[in-house]
Amino acid sequence: MKLNIAVLPGDGIGPEIIRVALDATQAVCDKFGHELHYEYGICGADAIDKVGNPYPEETHELCMRSDAVLFGAVGHPRFDNDPSAKVRPEQGLLAMRKRLGLYANIRPVTTFESLIHKSPLRADLVRGADFMCIRELTGGMYFGRPQGRSEDGNTAYDTCVYTREEITRIVTLAYEYAMKRRKKLTIVDKANVLATSRLWREVSKEITPLYPEVETEFMFVDNAAMRMIQWPTAFDVMVTENMFGDILTDEGSVITGSMGLLPSASIGTHTSVFEPIHGSWPQAAGQNIANPLATILSAAMMFDYAFGLKEEAALIRRAVDASMDAYVRTQDIQADNRPAYSTSEVGQWIFDYLSK
């Protein structure tokens, strides 16, 4: 098979972790006889510095002609600390999601037995946690209009908007994933307060009878946030709207003990994007200390979801598990009294494992 991918390193640690994930991707392609073709594109603060646009047209065209996108991260403190900035790296990310039709963000939350002690939760609570968060990605408050400030600057407003079509699409996808797992779906909303959430619940209840094998529960977002901490093993598949999903998926990520371990996939109508969830960490850029495992696992999701190559994806996941069992780990997850490995050293170890 020919794998035609766009590679967008982005900002901060993005280029370092993408380089490692791309090496792992090449090793798997070589092992299984696939042809890998890739092109680089710019985005985020890097693209603002170079062309003044966080998601240039050339990058969009590259993504559109690719079968998948391997993405690093965007963001830089100079924009975070400047509320008056008119152009921001995150605008490029939102533009990419909208223009590529990336309507569903999929984040698996799994625990690793060798890292249970790194979780902020007690071992008996977190052991065995294995669930999937599905976040609607192109609607809600992040894209709703009107949005802005009053003329005097003393009032700000954002608008949350959802359509029946958007809700039907994401909830149906969530049911399909639940059918492939343990057949339980939690639909998260705030239907006791928000009109958009009441539409979510109404539409979801119309879809529920189509999947009689799936156990469905509806849960308010505040209760879901508590339950994820109190009883993370109770969830199988969770689906929710954009802003709730943004918050809940980050909460879920720390259950594993490190945000550097969790990948994600954004499923789109034109192509799909695979990226780690941890952000750009610009303070660590160039230091060769970032954990590349989430990006490598994102490459595994790319093999699985974009190309249907499950054996290749499974091999990458085994390589990651083996590296942790061998204590070949970066500083964020290394065991006490053991030396930490650099980003490139972890990448080389996994490359060698995949090349055997």
Side-chain angles (χ1 to χ4, degrees):
M1 178 181 287
K2 182 176 181 178
L3 279 63
N4 180 37
I5 67 173
V7 181
L8 308 184
D11 305 324
I13 61 172
E16 300 165 61
I17 56 178
I18 282 290
R19 190 178 306 117
V20 169
L22 199 55
D23 286 344
T25 300
Q26 185 67 68
V28 171
C29 286
D30 291 344
K31 189 177 187 71
F32 286 86
H34 303 304
E35 180 183 348
L36 177 62
H37 173 75
Y38 58 89
E39 293 182 57
Y40 282 92
I42 59 173
C43 61
D46 177 51
I48 294 174
D49 291 342
K50 291 175 177 174
V51 299
N53 183 345
Y55 185 58
E57 192 61 32
E58 293 79 3
T59 299
H60 177 65
E61 291 173 0
L62 169 62
C63 294
M64 287 291 288
R65 64 175 182 265
S66 300
D67 299 318
V69 180
L70 190 59
F71 180 68
V74 297
H76 196 281
R78 74 174 185 273
F79 296 96
D80 299 337
N81 298 327
D82 182 8
S84 64
K86 300 299 183 184
V87 182
R88 297 176 176 276
E90 292 77 14
Q91 291 171 342
L93 184 59
L94 294 178
M96 180 169 66
R97 289 171 180 171
K98 198 70 173 178
R99 297 187 67 187
L100 294 180
L102 303 175
Y103 67 92
N105 181 244
I106 299 171
R107 293 188 180 184
V109 177
T110 57
T111 53
F112 301 87
E113 185 61 33
S114 61
L115 295 176
I116 291 292
H117 66 288
K118 291 285 187 179
S119 175
L121 302 184
R122 296 197 320 264
D124 62 303
L125 291 178
V126 75
R127 181 172 282 112
D130 176 13
F131 61 95
M132 177 181 288
C133 297
I134 300 180
R135 166 191 171 192
E136 202 289 322
L137 210 55
T138 59
M141 198 173 294
Y142 293 174
F143 293 97
R145 297 294 183 269
Q147 179 188 70
R149 300 277 290 270
S150 60
E151 289 187 10
D152 63 8
N154 294 325
T155 302
Y157 47 90
D158 299 281
T159 306
C160 187
V161 179
Y162 268 107
T163 65
R164 177 176 292 272
E165 180 183 6
E166 289 171 323
I167 299 167
T168 299
R169 179 172 61 179
I170 193 73
V171 172
T172 300
L173 182 73
Y175 270 111
E176 292 297 328
Y177 274 104
M179 287 291 292
K180 298 173 185 176
R181 289 173 54 91
R182 300 191 302 275
K183 294 185 172 60
K184 180 177 180 181
L185 178 64
T186 304
I187 301 173
V188 177
D189 61 30
K190 192 65 176 171
N192 57 336
V193 175
L194 301 177
T196 48
S197 282
R198 287 192 284 275
L199 180 61
W200 266 78
R201 189 165 292 208
E202 176 184 321
V203 173
S204 297
K205 286 190 172 182
E206 293 171 0
I207 299 171
T208 297
L210 303 177
Y211 296 90
E213 296 178 60
V214 177
E215 176 190 349
T216 303
E217 64 176 348
F218 292 88
M219 191 175 294
F220 293 149
V221 63
D222 41 1
N223 187 25
M226 291 187 292
R227 290 279 295 277
M228 283 177 66
I229 299 300
Q230 294 173 322
W231 194 14
T233 57
F235 293 103
D236 179 22
V237 177
M238 173 191 297
V239 64
T240 190
E241 63 96 64
N242 204 343
M243 186 174 70
F244 295 163
D246 192 358
I247 297 166
L248 289 176
T249 52
D250 279 356
E251 181 188 4
S253 72
V254 301
I255 290 174
T256 67
S258 173
M259 290 185 73
L261 292 172
L262 295 186
S264 77
S266 295
I267 306 301
T269 55
H270 299 294
T271 190
S272 297
V273 176
F274 301 87
E275 62 180 301
I277 73 164
H278 51 59
S280 61
W281 196 18
Q283 299 84 353
Q287 296 184 40
N288 202 25
I289 61 173
N291 189 342
L293 295 185
T295 317
I296 294 172
L297 289 169
S298 295
M301 292 186 77
M302 179 180 69
F303 276 103
D304 195 349
Y305 294 0
F307 300 106
L309 300 173
K310 297 186 180 301
E311 187 177 352
E312 289 84 340
L315 176 61
I316 294 177
R317 295 183 182 114
R318 288 198 301 273
V320 168
D321 287 340
S323 73
M324 289 193 290
D325 289 343
Y327 293 98
V328 180
R329 309 175 186 174
T330 48
Q331 62 180 17
D332 59 311
I333 57 171
Q334 187 54 288
D336 296 336
N337 302 318
R338 289 181 180 268
Y341 285 71
S342 68
T343 307
S344 57
E345 287 172 336
V346 172
Q348 185 63 52
W349 194 96
I350 289 178
F351 178 86
D352 292 341
Y353 183 99
L354 294 170
S355 300
K356 292 177 182 177

